[in-house]
Structures are given as structure tokens and as C-alpha cells.
Amino acid sequence: MKKQYVNDSFKEFVSTLPLLEGLCAQDMEALLRVAHHRDYKKGEYIYRQGEDADRLSIIRSGWVRLYRSNLDGEEGVAQLHTKATVLGEPVILPNSQKNFFSAQAISRAQLINIPGAAVREITRRNPVVLSRMMQGLIRKMDDMYVESEHMTLMSAPQRVACLILRLSAHMVGKGGTFTFPYDKSLAAAQLCMKRETLSRALSGLKTYGVEIQASEITIDNFAQLSAFSCARCSLNTECAGARCSSYPVRGGAESCGLIA
Amino acid sequence: MKKQYVNDSFKEFVSTLPLLEGLCAQDMEALLRVAHHRDYKKGEYIYRQGEDADRLSIIRSGWVRLYRSNLDGEEGVAQLHTKATVLGEPVILPNSQKNFFSAQAISRAQLINIPGAAVREITRRNPVVLSRMMQGLIRKMDDMYVESEHMTLMSAPQRVACLILRLSAHMVGKGGTFTFPYDKSLAAAQLCMKRETLSRALSGLKTYGVEIQASEITIDNFAQLSAFSCARCSLNTECAGARCSSYPVRGGAESCGLIA
DNA sequence: CGAGTGGTTGAAGAGTGTCAAACAGTGTGG
DNA sequence: CCACACTGTTTGACACTCTTCAACCACTCG
């Protein structure tokens, strides 16, 4: 691998991860010695489908896509993850595992990699960490389920609206402008639709006060767009993207980490 | 709840669960004292979306569907589970959780229910059980991903063929007849398609040597059907349903338990 | 400037969904 | 034993969304 930063910022990021909260000083020390920071260029692979799973990765910044491809090289769905997401959970399993997904940086991305042996040692000594990983997994499962649900219950424009609402979940106020954080083709794969469909759906959202200027997206009124998008979703207000009455519980770009 | 069987068959089932393998006699005793067997009638609910998650359930026989519904009562995808599947994993988390799904028996079903407190105690004393639950969860995640992948890459007839191949994964020989284990409408929901589409897709499979007689399904040649169904799936031969060259690794009706 | 990448737009078609009606199987009560 | 209701399934006709294929546009980088 590459360089191993043991500077303050790295230490601080690792030691404030919800996943690792409550580790004793000794365990944290040991962890910091083996954890590696690494910078990935856009397009670079963190690991590939079928390789041995040998480390846990935590996203510090940037975006990573998880996907699989078949023999023809076709790719189905993509899961896109960002800050604080834990990748490579299978590494904690005793019998050595293969990576089910390929993980690729789709923007410049910074990750913390922790060797499998260290992860297993930490979780053995601190079952609470295992339990937090489990919580993260359950969250991912639920998110995946919701994505499938959207496929059957919602139209393409509604799913696109849902996505931009989630991407702007951290924004306060009635409306606003933000920059699409990754290629639209990837967003299309994430939503299980074609590039062209995404493009058309986005321009179709003009009706609901959405303005597109290349990768600059302006939403006039979050609540109005939610009313269109979230109507048939089973999460209702339990979604960071939904701007109806009450507020975030799950999902959303900023809240997808392992928050206890 | 209902009656608590502490007969030999119940004991044997619990003590041979891969999930609980390696529990010391004392822990197993304690577990058997609090674990309940329960019979569910077709249609009966095991738990409902939004209720407090208070127990772990393990399917002993029959089929259970997990699903969510929105405010209009519309239901999206359904996950269908059978023998040896563990349900309600969130119960192991320290902060009390709500059920994300509703779980409903869709045939007569026998389940083992273990109170949350007992589960947390067992996993605290035996982290290996936690790790096995994690393995099960990872498996479920992977299965869900594959299902989404199928949605984008495969046609309705291909997905239906995939399902009947998985349902017949335990059968040996070139082909054979089996009984569809649950309502076709449920299968449609499982595959994210409408009843009508499933019906048409099934009759369309005649071309590939599939004969339908109400709920009796005859597949002339598993390999031939696989060639049609599995062509674009990223699992290739790593699927219990696929009958190509090599054999089961994941998925399939009979192998969806927590096998280490 | 030309090549390369990613995005948009248009026209046409396939595949599902929708709606309505008919059908089959089962259980119920007279 | 038959009429009846009830549930789940099949079939047909039709509408519509999304994909497909193609061309074109915008931007970046050599």
C-alpha cells in the first residue's frame, strides 16, 4: 500500500469514529499503529470482486461505488457511499472471505484501511464494536430494501427527486443550490435506470421547481419536491431527504455513518 | 405468547442450529428454558413494522414474508424466507429498536422465538454467535443486491426462471416436478412484478421446457433453463439455482440458513 | 485543434403495468 | 348434492413508461 500518516488529523478522525467509540487507550494505540490512511484517485479500485477480503475500510472523504459485474462485463446496480461509511465488513468473519463487490473510488477519496487481523482482534476484545458494525450492516440492508421498494412503487422522476433530496439533506432553509457530487451516469446506475432516463427525469422536474445547470442543482422548495417524491415511500418522514413535518431518522448523505 | 415445547425435537432443532454451534452446555440449557416454539397459522403476523423489536426468531418450517407498507397500504417488495433463516437481528442492538419490517407467516409456519434479553446475553458471552449472525446478515445483503441486479439486467421471464430454479435447487437429476411453496402473487411481489406478468412469464417458459399445472411446476432440463436464466447474472455458477458446470455456493431455498 | 469523456435530445419499439373480465379451486350452508 | 361466495389465477386489450439506438452538444485535456 501507500504512506501511513500518523498525524493529528488522522488520529483525530479515527479516534472520533462512532464505530470505535469506547476503545481503551491501549487498543486505540495499537489500532493507530496498523491503520493506514490512503488517498485514492478517481477511478482507482479499493478492492475487486472475488479477491480475498483482507481489510476493513472507512471512508474519510469522497465517494466510493460498490458494484458487481457479470461475465460480459455488464454492471447492474451501484451502491454509492461517502463519509463515515464502513466497507468490507466480511473481513471480520473467521473463515476467509472473498469480496462480493468491487469497490472503486469515483471521486478523489480518502480512506482508512485496517488490516483484517487487527479488526478481528479489536472486535474480539471489544464486542461492542462488532455490535456497531452490525448496526451499520442492518442500516445498509434497510437502505437497500428501500431502494428496491422505490423501484416498484415510484416513477423515474420520483426516484430522481428522492435522490437529490437526500443529497441535499444537510441543507437548511426552504430551498437552495448544490453541486452534484458524482457523475450523473453513476447516479443513474445507483437508481437502476439509464443515463438518458435520468437526464429526462431531471429536466422533467422543472415543474416542481428544480433547475439544472450542468452539475448545479437548484431546488426551489424542498417540501414541495418531497410532496411529489415521497408520497408512496414507506419511510415517510423517517428519511433525511423527506422535508415534510418531522425530521431525519435514517438515510441521507450526511447521516449514513455508524451513529449510535 | 403460546405454549413452550421442551420436547426432544425442539431441543434437537435448537441445539443443532449452526448459529448456536459451540454454546456450552450451561448456556444451551439457559437458552432452552427461555426459547419458545410457536406455530403460526397462514396469514398470522410474527411482528409488525414499527413495533418494538423484542425477540429473535428462527424459522423451523414454513414460509415467512418480510415487507413494508406505506401510508396508503401499498406494499413494495417482499422477502420470502424459509427454514433456518434468522429474523429480527436488530434485537441484538443495545438501544431498543423498532421493527423495520412486518413479518407474516404465508403458510403454516413453525418458529423459535428467543427473547431479546436472552439473545443479548448469549451474544455477550459468545461473540462467535454475534459473528455468525453477522455472516447471516451479510448473506442477506448479498442476496438483496443480486435481486436488484436482476431487476436491471434481466427480463421478467428470466427472473421467473431464476426463481423456479432456486426453488428446485435441492432436486437432483436432469429435471423434475415440484410444488410451488407459496402463492404466486407473493412470488410476484418477491420478484417486483405484477401477478399478471408472473403468470404470463411462466407460461412463456414453455419454450424452455417448463410445464405449469396450477402449482405443479415441471422443469424438463435444469441446465437448459439455467442457460436462459443465468446468462447475465453476476453470480454465474456461485448460485444454488444455476445448473451449469460447478455447484452451489450461495442462495437457494435449502441453503439460506447460517451455514458456517 | 482533435480526441475523449460525459451529457443531452429525438424517434421508435419492447416490455410491463393497468383494467376488466372470466376462470378454477375451495369451503359453506341450505 | 348443488348453489353460492370467496380467493387466487389466467387471459385479453390497451396505455404508458422506460429503454434502445443514434446523433449531437459541451467541456476538458493532450
Side-chain angles (χ1 to χ4, degrees), chain B residues 231-248:
Chain B
R232 304 178 65 189
C233 175
S234 72
L235 285 181
N236 300 306
T237 55
E238 291 183 69
C239 171
R243 306 318 206 288
C244 308
S245 43
S246 68
Y247 251 48

Side-chain angles (χ1 to χ4, degrees), chain A residues 3 18 43 53 55 70 85 120 126 129 132 144 149 167 180 196 208 213 221 231 256:
Chain A
K3 347 177 191 174
R55 61 189 185 279
N70 64 16
T85 301
R120 286 187 291 273
N126 302 272
V129 173
R132 291 211 195 96
M144 274 203 63
E149 184 188 271
L167 287 173
F180 211 86
E196 296 92 327
Y208 298 94
Q213 195 79 283
N221 187 331
C256 43

Side-chain angles (χ1 to χ4, degrees), chain B residues 140-153:
Chain B
K140 282 188 191 174
M141 274 264 315
D142 295 350
D143 289 350
M144 274 202 64
Y145 174 88
V146 172
E147 210 63 67
S148 314
E149 185 188 272
H150 285 186
M151 289 285 300
T152 34
L153 292 179

